[in-house]
Amino acid sequence: MWALLLLLPTVLCLSPAGPPQERTPLFRLTQQGPWESGASNGTASPCEGLPLAGATTLTLVNRSLERLPGCLPRALRRLDGSHNLLGALSAPELGHLPQLEELTLRHNRIAALRWGPGWPAGLRTLDLSYNRLAALPPCGGPALPSLRALALAGNPLQALQPGAFSCFPALRLLNLSCTALGRGPQAGITDAAFAGAGGAPLAALEVLDLSGTFLPRVHSGWIRDLPKLTSLYLRKMPQLTSLEGDIFKMTPDLQQLDCQDSPALTSVHTHIFQDTPHLQVLLLQKPSASLSKISCPFRRIFLYA
Ligand SMILES: *[C@@H]1O[C@H](CO)[C@@H](O)[C@H](O)[C@H]1NC(C)=O
Ligand SMILES: *[C@@H]1O[C@H](CO)[C@@H](O)[C@H](O)[C@H]1NC(C)=O
Ligand SMILES: *[C@@H]1O[C@H](CO)[C@@H](O)[C@H](O)[C@H]1NC(C)=O
């Protein structure tokens, strides 16, 4: 039986995110002055004199910006405004950037967010990790029809309402790691949180990261709306104790289940894997009593002590 289990501590080196993406700004704003005075009146930043007109990639990191400058080039496709002081984000600020595909605003102070018409229709990647979002705004229609990746890691989100992501019909990767989901009196992830428009499933989502959250379990009530899920990350979840029930019944494409460093996870009912014929990688903290009963022919199971 144990011959099935490869003891490979080296799996610790596997990165869930894959190789880091190359970001090569065409140029970088280096001008000092009002940008960094800290007392600037937000959008009033002097873009004059900067070679902005044709720029498609711009990095405005760590410039004490309270708002996105209004004078950014219309051709912009990628904007990194991480490590600033932005407090809110909505369509009016982005309406003049119709070509935007990738917006990175990690480590700001965004507490208010509004989806809706006016967001750049071609936006594919939105990274709002490490902001101050305590709740997500309701989704109206398909506000961001092209959005593939949404990162909300490190926000103080405690709960997700039904249909929270229904305005992103093309969403493939959703990163909710290190949020406060499961902490506090609210339900964490409510049933139908991942339901799409009209209650249909969120049919494109492949990767879900819930690592570092406080959820005690995976519920079929929400995971059933992710029929294309291939990778589920449940790392470093202090309150995750068991995986059981028919949780994977509706996710037959699951290939990777990563539960590394979730110390309380002692009960993994092996029948849950009858529903995951394509599972290739299973990462667990340690061999638990119930796991020793595993009899399914996995291709790779990594356990580490
Ligand atoms: C989710 O975001 C965290 C923080 O940025 C990162 O470390 C992790 O690799 C991301 N997960 C995925 C699956 O990309
Ligand atoms: C910035 O604020 C100052 C003082 O309030 C004002 O005089 C100036 O016109 C503002 N700049 C712009 C471009 O709005
Ligand atoms: C931001 O800039 C300040 C001053 O230049 C520097 O001390 C700080 O380390 C920078 N922070 C980041 C996150 O780059």
Side-chain angles (χ1 to χ4, degrees):
M1 197 63 57
W2 286 100
L4 285 173
L5 309 176
L6 305 178
L7 292 164
L8 275 189
T10 51
V11 297
L12 282 168
C13 302
L14 287 178
S15 157
Q21 279 197 322
E22 285 282 327
R23 286 224 182 77
T24 320
L26 295 182
F27 68 90
R28 191 177 277 267
L29 280 179
T30 51
Q31 243 102 343
Q32 306 282 309
W35 287 100
E36 301 191 330
S37 69
S40 70
N41 32 10
T43 56
S45 303
C47 293
E48 304 93 40
L50 298 173
L52 288 178
T56 58
T57 298
L58 188 56
T59 302
L60 290 174
V61 173
N62 198 9
R63 288 173 181 271
S64 307
L65 295 178
E66 292 172 16
R67 271 169 285 162
L68 290 177
C71 51
L72 296 173
R74 283 181 69 83
L76 214 53
R77 293 181 189 274
R78 279 172 297 277
L79 174 61
D80 185 351
S82 299
H83 292 280
N84 280 296
L85 307 174
L86 306 188
L89 190 65
S90 60
E93 286 158 275
L94 300 167
H96 58 285
L97 299 174
Q99 308 293 324
L100 203 62
E101 293 173 1
E102 190 177 315
L103 179 59
T104 305
L105 296 173
R106 296 169 70 90
H107 294 282
N108 273 273
R109 297 178 179 177
I110 298 170
L113 184 63
R114 217 161 348 122
W115 313 125
W119 279 71
L123 195 69
R124 294 161 67 97
T125 300
L126 178 59
D127 189 344
L128 298 175
S129 301
Y130 300 99
N131 275 277
R132 297 185 181 172
L133 293 166
L136 291 179
C139 267
L144 288 169
S146 307
L147 196 71
R148 306 272 177 90
L150 177 61
L152 296 167
N155 280 279
L157 286 173
Q158 291 196 352
L160 298 177
Q161 299 312 312
F165 305 99
S166 58
C167 42
F168 317 119
L171 198 63
R172 285 192 194 160
L173 186 154
L174 178 58
N175 195 333
L176 295 167
S177 68
C178 300
T179 57
L181 287 175
R183 175 170 268 181
Q186 288 163 295
I189 302 180
T190 52
D191 285 0
F194 299 119
L202 210 51
L205 200 95
E206 294 174 359
V207 181
L208 177 62
D209 195 339
L210 295 170
S211 303
T213 62
F214 302 87
L215 299 166
R217 53 192 68 223
V218 171
H219 280 291
S220 49
W222 52 257
I223 200 172
R224 67 169 180 219
D225 287 317
L226 305 174
K228 288 279 162 27
L229 195 68
T230 58
S231 300
L232 179 59
Y233 295 96
L234 304 173
R235 301 158 64 106
K236 298 186 183 172
M237 291 174 61
Q239 296 178 23
L240 182 69
T241 52
S242 70
L243 294 174
E244 61 188 28
D246 56 357
I247 52 175
F248 296 139
K249 198 127 217 137
M250 305 303 277
T251 58
D253 294 340
L254 196 67
Q255 293 173 18
Q256 176 163 357
L257 177 61
D258 185 346
C259 307
Q260 285 184 78
D261 299 313
S262 287
L265 181 60
T266 51
S267 170
V268 178
H269 292 207
T270 55
H271 69 262
I272 63 176
F273 300 117
Q274 286 166 9
D275 298 321
T276 58
H278 303 295
L279 194 69
Q280 293 179 17
V281 179
L282 172 62
L283 302 172
L284 292 167
Q285 170 86 24
K286 59 194 165 205
S288 65
S290 51
L291 252 187
S292 62
K293 295 190 218 114
I294 276 184
S295 58
C296 316
F298 291 116
R299 264 188 273 172
R300 287 197 288 160
I301 300 176
F302 298 136
L303 299 174
Y304 64 98

